[in-house]
Amino acid sequence: WPAGFTGAISLALDRRSFRGIGSGEVVEPSSGAVARALRGATGPITPRLGRARRRLQRAKRESSSLVRRLGAGPIEVLVDRSRPGDREVADRVLAALFQLKIPAKISEVSASVFARRVASGNCELYIDHLLSPVADSRWQAAAAVAVSDPSWMARSIAARRPSVAAMEARRRATRKLVPLFHRAMRLHYRSDLFGISTSRVGLISYDGVFTHGKPRKPRRKRSR
């Protein structure tokens, strides 16, 4: 997609709606690739529809292929069926496309099909999770750039210039990745396991782990 098109989608998104994603987890809506916890600027989270529509019109004037594609039928938003929360995210993305009068549909596929189609480029828009390699703002920004511009990122690292400002500027220029929100790390483990923790770089530490009692079964909700 042209950068102007994905930029219009980013402007039209109401990122406040992502606060309700999941159940009881910490979600930080953001239009930037660096989380506030890493001293990053989260960017605007409210929709800016006037700017979004003007950006879309400009993108159409600059790209006849974009006009042809938007007139050919609904845009497909690909979702991994094994991650139920991603369908909620896709629904909110569709709401932004609706505001831009862009027809779209959600396609839920298996994890293997999702990975294969994304790797081969056989998709239009897709919902995915980007994991930062370490808990550092520069590398979190670099991971976002790697989605659309890995060769530029490699040259920047080789020149010892992986600054957040440079990475974010490059990401905004290419616009292949549109940040939606940052979520806290989640661990699922048995209820009789205690002392498990994570290090500053996100690695699981088992140094103080011990077990006590028996695993508890989840309570069944009473039917009314």
Side-chain angles (χ1 to χ4, degrees):
W1 295 109
F5 174 71
T6 49
I9 295 174
S10 182
L11 288 168
L13 283 162
D14 186 356
R15 290 176 171 82
R16 295 171 298 183
S17 64
F18 294 118
R19 289 197 176 104
I21 296 295
S23 177
E25 65 174 300
V26 177
V27 172
E28 177 189 291
S30 174
S31 61
V34 180
R36 188 186 298 275
L38 298 179
R39 298 181 181 178
T42 61
I45 63 173
T46 56
R48 290 158 288 169
L49 290 175
R51 288 181 58 190
R53 289 167 181 147
R54 289 193 296 271
R55 179 76 64 87
L56 179 60
Q57 291 303 318
R58 187 164 63 248
K60 287 180 177 180
R61 289 195 298 268
E62 295 172 352
S63 174
S64 58
S65 61
L66 175 61
V67 175
R68 288 194 299 271
R69 175 58 194 92
L70 295 181
I75 291 174
E76 181 187 41
V77 181
L78 200 64
V79 171
D80 181 347
R81 190 184 295 116
S82 67
R83 300 192 298 232
D86 286 8
R87 174 62 193 247
E88 295 182 56
V89 176
D91 286 336
R92 288 156 173 78
V93 172
L94 251 65
L97 294 171
F98 175 79
Q99 293 293 335
L100 294 173
K101 298 182 179 180
I102 298 174
K105 63 179 181 179
I106 297 174
S107 295
E108 293 186 83
V109 297
S110 66
S112 59
V113 172
F114 180 89
R116 186 166 61 250
R117 288 188 59 181
V118 170
S120 64
N122 182 24
C123 57
E124 295 183 306
L125 296 175
Y126 62 92
I127 306 299
D128 205 359
H129 299 217
L130 180 63
L131 302 179
S132 178
V134 292
D136 182 280
S137 57
R138 293 167 299 176
W139 295 112
Q140 191 169 68
V145 173
V147 172
S148 56
D149 211 344
S151 60
W152 182 89
M153 187 198 74
R155 291 195 300 273
S156 182
I157 292 174
R160 299 181 182 179
R161 293 183 288 105
S163 69
V164 172
M167 293 293 174
E168 276 287 75
R170 192 68 177 186
R171 181 192 62 78
R172 287 192 296 269
T174 56
R175 283 288 186 189
K176 185 174 181 181
L177 181 145
V178 178
L180 302 177
F181 58 87
H182 299 274
R183 67 196 328 165
M185 181 181 292
R186 295 175 296 170
L187 291 177
H188 301 271
Y189 51 88
R190 290 168 33 146
S191 59
D192 62 337
L193 187 65
F194 297 87
I196 194 168
S197 62
T198 57
S199 68
R200 192 179 66 84
V201 295
L203 298 177
I204 300 175
S205 173
Y206 298 97
D207 292 344
V209 171
F210 64 96
T211 58
H212 177 73
K214 296 181 180 180
R216 296 188 301 273
K217 293 182 179 180
R219 294 180 180 178
R220 293 182 178 177
K221 292 183 179 180
R222 294 181 179 178
S223 58
R224 294 183 180 178

